[in-house]
Amino acid sequence: MHSGGIAGTGHAGRRRRRRAMRIGWIGLGHMGAPMARNLHAAGFDVIGFDLSESARDDAGIPVAASAVDAARDADVLVTMLPAGAHVRAVLAESGALEASRPGSLVVDSSTIAVADTRAASDIVAAAGRTFVDAPVSGGTAGARNATLTFMVGGADDAVAAAGPLFGAMGARTFHAGPVGAGQSVKLLNNLMLAVNMQSTCEAAVLAGTLGVDPAALVEIAATCTGDSWVLRNYYPVDGVVESAPSSRGFRDGFAAQLMHKDLGLALDAADEAGLELPAVRLVRSRLDELMAGGDGGLDFSAVVGLLGARPAMATAGAL
């Protein structure tokens, strides 16, 4: 893996290129809109589109009336969409790909199946364009604050060409390998995140029954072998980690329905390889329960509520 300044250009050179580069952005949801705004703020000529009128109204960047209009004469076409079928439809059916400049670059930052990514790459190549997959980690906060991590798959020159965009939207970029490698790493990352969250939720509930102050648990475990990103940033108890979704009623985080989708993609890949992922299947079944109760829009850490006991709250003065 290679990280950091993959574009290989100096600061002045990047600024000159940004002023000239036109970006057609398709998908202005909770992640796509703030990412596109950061590109716009960095000096790129960004034109966005989303099928949702409200998303277009709230985008905070110039928007077009159609995907074709957003992509017209674009040097780079970016897709940030919910599923592989949507990505394929934009590239194969909407006319947006043909509206972009000949030889343009297509960057897909959606989280989709590896097979869908490779199919999208084939569509792009047949149109004489270049493709990279670049899913992200960091959630909506990372999208707003331009601190995302990009996991990128594609040819060296294509990844380098996209480097200035990644630098404007994120803090780290990793070139994981050829097309599909970025999506593969993203699925693996989210698999580990979800299982880690389940174990942390179980520890949080057990801590309550044992009378352990959760803030003390976080402080101590963060220096021990139980340490994790979830523990320090996403602890599922209100008032322990101020920035965690649990301190906002499990809102404005990584929606359970999206994690459910991502774990499904991981399980599909495992099935194709003849592998069993029992922990992942268990966590996905818990997300099934959350969604069946109408809470699929809550952050995935809300699975803590399915464990049959209320986690202990932080005591006054802790941490």
Side-chain angles (χ1 to χ4, degrees):
M1 288 188 181
H2 309 289
S3 64
I6 55 177
T9 60
H11 182 64
R14 286 197 299 271
R15 287 192 298 173
R16 284 194 299 272
R17 188 174 186 183
R18 285 178 182 176
R19 285 196 296 271
M21 191 181 290
R22 180 180 173 88
I23 313 296
W25 189 285
I26 312 298
L28 297 169
H30 294 303
M31 293 292 291
M35 291 168 68
R37 285 196 292 269
N38 284 331
L39 278 183
H40 181 64
F44 290 93
D45 179 12
V46 185
I47 307 294
F49 176 73
D50 195 287
L51 289 174
S52 166
E53 182 178 357
S54 62
R56 296 195 302 272
D57 290 343
D58 297 337
I61 60 168
V63 296
S66 69
V68 170
D69 288 340
R72 196 175 310 281
D73 296 325
D75 301 296
V76 181
L77 177 62
V78 182
T79 50
M80 186 56 158
L81 298 165
H86 302 136
V87 176
R88 294 196 311 273
V90 166
L91 297 178
E93 301 170 15
S94 72
L97 186 59
E98 291 75 15
S100 66
R101 289 184 184 276
S104 60
L105 176 66
V106 176
V107 177
D108 178 44
S109 284
S110 317
T111 297
I112 61 177
V114 176
D116 285 330
T117 291
R118 291 174 178 154
S121 179
D122 290 342
I123 294 168
V124 170
R129 275 73 168 171
T130 305
F131 180 89
V132 298
D133 55 298
V136 300
S137 178
T140 53
R144 288 192 303 268
N145 299 326
T147 57
L148 294 169
T149 294
F150 285 84
M151 294 155 274
V152 188
D156 289 347
D157 56 349
V159 176
L165 281 71
F166 301 146
M169 296 183 289
R172 292 163 298 276
T173 299
F174 295 93
H175 186 186
V179 167
Q183 291 293 352
S184 297
V185 171
K186 174 63 186 292
L187 295 181
L188 295 170
N189 178 77
N190 281 12
L191 175 162
M192 292 185 282
L193 172 64
V195 174
N196 190 189
M197 176 55 74
Q198 178 67 26
S199 68
T200 303
C201 287
E202 293 176 11
V205 169
L206 182 57
T209 67
L210 295 175
V212 175
D213 186 283
L217 173 61
V218 171
E219 182 178 32
I220 295 167
T223 69
C224 301
T225 54
D227 186 28
S228 69
W229 183 92
V230 164
L231 177 80
R232 287 176 277 104
N233 296 277
Y234 248 57
Y235 196 76
V237 175
D238 182 14
V240 180
V241 178
E242 183 178 354
S243 60
S246 58
S247 295
R248 303 187 300 276
F250 297 101
R251 310 217 174 255
D252 191 26
F254 185 13
Q257 58 201 13
L258 295 180
M259 179 60 86
H260 183 271
K261 179 202 78 170
D262 291 357
L263 294 185
L265 296 176
L267 289 170
D268 288 344
D271 289 343
E272 291 175 10
L275 297 174
E276 280 294 325
L277 302 179
V280 178
R281 291 189 187 280
L282 169 63
V283 176
R284 193 166 190 256
S285 72
R286 305 301 269 175
L287 294 172
D288 280 331
E289 293 181 52
L290 200 64
M291 294 167 65
D295 290 328
L298 296 181
D299 183 78
F300 75 107
S301 60
V303 293
V304 70
L306 302 176
L307 291 171
R310 183 176 177 82
M313 302 296 289
T315 59
L319 281 188

